[in-house]
Amino acid sequence: MTTVAVAGCTGYAGGELLRLLLQHPEMEIGALTAGSSAGRRLGELQPHLGPLADRVVQETTVEALTGHDVVFLALPHGTSAAVAAALPEDVLVLDCGADFRLTDAAAWRSFYGTEHAGTWPYGLPELPGQRPVLAGARRIAVPGCYPTSATLALAPAVTAGLVDGSDVVVVAASGPSGAGKSLKPHLLGAELMGSASAYGVGGVHRHVPEITQNLALLGAPAPTVSFTPVLVPMSRGILATCSAPLSDPSTDSAAARAAYAEALAEEPFVTLLPEGQWPQTQSVLGSNTVHLQVAVDAAAGRLVVVAALDNLTKGTAGGAVQCMNLALGLPETLGLPLVGVAP
Amino acid sequence: MTTVAVAGCTGYAGGELLRLLLQHPEMEIGALTAGSSAGRRLGELQPHLGPLADRVVQETTVEALTGHDVVFLALPHGTSAAVAAALPEDVLVLDCGADFRLTDAAAWRSFYGTEHAGTWPYGLPELPGQRPVLAGARRIAVPGCYPTSATLALAPAVTAGLVDGSDVVVVAASGPSGAGKSLKPHLLGAELMGSASAYGVGGVHRHVPEITQNLALLGAPAPTVSFTPVLVPMSRGILATCSAPLSDPSTDSAAARAAYAEALAEEPFVTLLPEGQWPQTQSVLGSNTVHLQVAVDAAAGRLVVVAALDNLTKGTAGGAVQCMNLALGLPETLGLPLVGVAP
Amino acid sequence: MTTVAVAGCTGYAGGELLRLLLQHPEMEIGALTAGSSAGRRLGELQPHLGPLADRVVQETTVEALTGHDVVFLALPHGTSAAVAAALPEDVLVLDCGADFRLTDAAAWRSFYGTEHAGTWPYGLPELPGQRPVLAGARRIAVPGCYPTSATLALAPAVTAGLVDGSDVVVVAASGPSGAGKSLKPHLLGAELMGSASAYGVGGVHRHVPEITQNLALLGAPAPTVSFTPVLVPMSRGILATCSAPLSDPSTDSAAARAAYAEALAEEPFVTLLPEGQWPQTQSVLGSNTVHLQVAVDAAAGRLVVVAALDNLTKGTAGGAVQCMNLALGLPETLGLPLVGVAP
Amino acid sequence: MTTVAVAGCTGYAGGELLRLLLQHPEMEIGALTAGSSAGRRLGELQPHLGPLADRVVQETTVEALTGHDVVFLALPHGTSAAVAAALPEDVLVLDCGADFRLTDAAAWRSFYGTEHAGTWPYGLPELPGQRPVLAGARRIAVPGCYPTSATLALAPAVTAGLVDGSDVVVVAASGPSGAGKSLKPHLLGAELMGSASAYGVGGVHRHVPEITQNLALLGAPAPTVSFTPVLVPMSRGILATCSAPLSDPSTDSAAARAAYAEALAEEPFVTLLPEGQWPQTQSVLGSNTVHLQVAVDAAAGRLVVVAALDNLTKGTAGGAVQCMNLALGLPETLGLPLVGVAP
């Protein structure tokens, strides 16, 4: 068995990591650490994790995390670097935070306002050429949930040249679990239930440079994205509606579907739905699966792609475990649920 | 008192019309008609309309509707023309369906597949020049809920020349009440709760030509819109995220806000929120108010506008009553709620 | 016009008071006060209250509240007494908090842990004999939302002797707005959406002595209630399922319905639904209406009553305005919505 | 491998059976049958079941079901008997419908209005003495979702003599997936979201005799239950609040907790939460786990127990797979999720 520690085990990302690791046949769960909740029973804070209910949360320290083969960091932005630096190089460290995702230090500073910690291999295996990078890696930056949805939605189109990655528009409906357990008024249930609201509008959301970076990686010569996240009343899930101008206005939906079908033929977690069927987040809830559908809007001259995923599973913890599998040389899909909890 | 009949009183639009008419100081509610529910107590079908609970639903016939000063039609698409034709010309008829909204018969045939019934004055008072058209009108086509949201969001920008109405992208999160009480599997509660899903993607939704027509009315020389509706788990409300390329890339958010503030200064029902505050549908639930916010995304070169409204109130029945007030020479805001039911 | 101040205007109860007062034809809204939010625009905190958006919140002080005919207190428990004591005796003060509801000082101490502030006339007009008490009153204790639902559900049965008020069981599903805007982890949207949970179980909820007190007022010789509140994923509304052993096991549903029909015949806000129709909270959302239905379960020997109301309207702010109307000698129903916002 | 067929694969119970069977290490999924959906791809109807998306639904016939080791019936009430009778006696048949649950033919006729089909071993392994009955059984009646919740909540108390099973009151909040995919107006999303409603009140719900039967099995000499189901806005989950008069008024919460702790010590799927922690359905969503908490309300003289489970998992399909494991001699917990999908 391979031992694994989770730093930040009391948050939503940490809880989802543990839900998945409990189902994983090769992993033995070791230290569970957190900040202000240290000393409490995990069952008080994550009552759904029955088999770990009696575990006591330790404080997040290098000592507590040392001695494991794998360490997941699900910590506030800006705090991973110090922890990671103190762990041996041969320990696999996967950071679910943003610290090591961006390659451009100026973009980091502009959007996060602090010094750039560095860049780790980017944990999106579906990016062309990325699986060999992740195989054997010992530091992995797990992508953000919105960038995962937008990138997976658009990658086949950019790669196939259907669109060139400029003038991309992404509007993503999301549940509030992506914002974590922060005690903020706008995250209260009474504020969110029965209501939809936009936030981080106008190019200011921190996931914008990450989406742009991914489009560039896919070959977009001058990527731009107008990205708007919309909070909607569901605890989990992202439904991303992505569109971009067609490179060739004569491309039709059949051609677009063919390009997607070819690009996704071997992907275990990304499914192009049959023609006429559009993604719904319920179908992928709790799973590592992404559902895609694509259409050409000839009158508007745009390719439209809709992606559904679970922000906590494929969007965070499931994607992280998928990367872990690759880094450890295990089957990529090992222990990861393919089937959503619906209805 | 002015007498009013509602045809289609058992559906969601009809119920909302009656909720508003019950609060209206000048209206006396007369015949309530429907199709298959004729003969039943209204209270069985619309239990929230207490004061009308003991009214018996009549069958929708010309006889039943005759003798009222105002007739609202909240009927399935394609059925209004016959009813309207049989009503005297001096009766004010407001059609909440689509039949008379489009001016382009070819667009009608292409999206609705039937012969075009004709064109009535379009019931969106906020369109420049439209109030005089509606004053005294006796036939009014009430706009669709999505076109209301997109048009109100974009009108100040097109009018001011901030954008030219081409390459518009609208993604609108909506509750399922807009789809009516149809017994369709995808509208079941278990399918919708905890889930977001897209439908009518790729330029095929019937509201596309109506949005394009409105952009043209506003002066857009070559309007196009990529429109995607997204069902989210709330019974009411639309949150429309609308964007379009800036005509002048140097336009900043302050200039955009100034143009909106000027355009909306006298509008009773459309409010530009203070800077930094973004619309949420809860704030306008049950009211005839629309909340807007606008920002420039300089990197993406797009103006982004978010609009929140209640699809049944300002998006349908409230908008209809607003038009009725104008047509009858009453104060435009008479009897219409300005304050949302929040949280 | 009568002037009114609202202390605690930034919470949910305060917001609902203002929503209703804005619709009230006799009231002029004066000072709006709060604690830590003093100095902010009301529109930031209550964006649904458009007409008051530019009002600046004042600090809750006696000075700010002085000079109004009516003062509503929507303050944390335990803080009303000091404010009320400093206001002139001829000012109508309505306390939406618990401080003055209980007559039994020992019960207060046992459930609230502080000294008892006193007892004011209890603001539930539907209690037999209570309207004369409220007419002209200058201090009124507005009931809790759960006691309102349970008391209105059971009053006709106790009064008619169908049940004797012993062994009452109340389980009430409620939205979280009743808990206010407190920043507590269990009130986060991600925790509440898609989930139901019980709290305050086993006789420890603070509304227990208030329900018992009301049953005694109705004539129950030895009232007891097992009360369990259940949080469910809706922002507003209470659905209370109440049952009690039948005094006479041969009572049938028809007899029970007859007793309720008689008791409620003149009540403007409490409606017995037609036979076979059961309450749903949606039907009364945003209104001051209560829907009831009653049945006899002969095999279980119990009378079962289900009540639906809006916890913020009839359960708090609407009930308070109803009392205000009575105290001021205005028509009891003035300015209060009868129709719910459904669906 | 053991082969399994699912009749009624297109409904919610059938879909959940398949979700669980896909995770089960010993089962090979064979025929998938249904009624009116025969001939369609399963992926159209159950898009979350990705690995089975290309399977074509067969018509439910004896021929299609023949040749499997295990057959699950998830059919409308009243239709299982004919199918089951035509299957060989050595095939394990588990009926998720009600047909074979009741032992009392008169109770069946009274609540279902048809002739009684018979009685099969009752598939609730947690009932004292039931595991040996299920081991090796070839016909099993899977319990209803509400009876599962109420019985598991009360069994330790009745068995330990804390209560005698008379005057039981159960109010259970539930999501609408328990009602299946029926196209009924009250199950539409717009009707359910933001609303709670009671149904089947007054002793008329079909699960009443099943709960009473279970209480009698547990030793209650004269069981009665007042049962009220309440629909709340979540797709899945039951939160059952159950209470009954204490046999000995001096019983305290500690004694009650001790009795529950002892009774549940060896149960793999039923967990007594630590003192002070109350169940929430989110914690058990998608899992076969039941969370319980118990308290004594001394003033009311009642024991109060709250149970949370997933109506489709432990309440139907998970409970069925648990019985299948026992009947086949497999480990009882094999393939069944213990951890909920939260938040």
Side-chain angles (χ1 to χ4, degrees), chain B residues 12 176-177 181-185 187-193 232-235, chain D residues 12 176-177 181-185 187-193 232-235:
Chain B
Y12 291 141
S177 59
K181 286 193 189 174
S182 328
L183 292 178
K184 294 176 183 166
L187 297 178
L188 287 175
E191 300 290 318
L192 292 168
M193 292 192 283
V232 300
M234 56 192 194
S235 56
Chain D
Y12 292 143
S177 59
K181 286 192 188 174
S182 328
L183 292 177
K184 295 177 183 162
L187 296 179
L188 287 175
E191 300 290 319
L192 292 168
M193 292 192 284
V232 300
M234 56 192 194
S235 55

Side-chain angles (χ1 to χ4, degrees), chain A residues 168-198:
Chain A
V168 167
V169 176
V170 175
V171 179
S174 173
S177 59
K181 285 192 190 174
S182 327
L183 293 177
K184 295 177 183 164
H186 76 283
L187 297 179
L188 286 175
E191 300 289 320
L192 292 168
M193 291 191 284
S195 193
S197 57

Side-chain angles (χ1 to χ4, degrees), chain A residues 12 176 182 187-189 191 193 233, chain C residues 12 176 182 187-189 191 193 233:
Chain A
Y12 292 142
S182 327
L187 297 179
L188 286 175
E191 300 289 320
M193 291 191 284
Chain C
Y12 292 142
S182 327
L187 297 178
L188 287 175
E191 300 291 320
M193 292 191 283

Side-chain angles (χ1 to χ4, degrees), chain D residues 129-174:
Chain D
Q130 199 66 4
R131 284 187 172 95
V133 173
L134 297 171
R138 285 298 171 262
R139 294 292 185 273
I140 295 176
V142 179
C145 53
Y146 291 122
T148 296
S149 64
T151 306
L152 294 177
L154 292 166
V158 178
T159 304
L162 299 175
V163 304
D164 72 359
S166 67
D167 198 24
V168 167
V169 176
V170 175
V171 179
S174 173

Side-chain angles (χ1 to χ4, degrees), chain A residues 192-197 230-233, chain B residues 172-178 192-195 230-239 280-282 285 309 311, chain C residues 343, chain D residues 189-190 193-194:
Chain A
L192 292 168
M193 291 191 284
S195 193
S197 57
V230 174
L231 279 180
V232 299
Chain B
S174 173
S177 59
L192 292 168
M193 292 192 283
S195 193
V230 174
L231 280 179
V232 300
M234 56 192 194
S235 56
R236 291 174 171 235
I238 289 178
L239 191 92
Q280 55 190 68
T281 60
Q282 190 185 65
L285 189 123
L309 56 73
N311 57 304
Chain D
M193 292 192 284

Side-chain angles (χ1 to χ4, degrees), chain A residues 128-150:
Chain A
Q130 199 65 3
R131 283 187 173 95
V133 173
L134 297 171
R138 283 300 170 263
R139 294 292 184 273
I140 295 177
V142 179
C145 53
Y146 291 122
T148 296
S149 64

Side-chain angles (χ1 to χ4, degrees), chain A residues 284-306:
Chain A
V284 297
L285 189 123
S287 83
N288 207 48
T289 299
V290 182
H291 280 181
L292 295 185
Q293 185 54 287
V294 59
V296 162
D297 183 338
R302 283 191 163 253
L303 184 80
V304 187
V305 193
V306 177

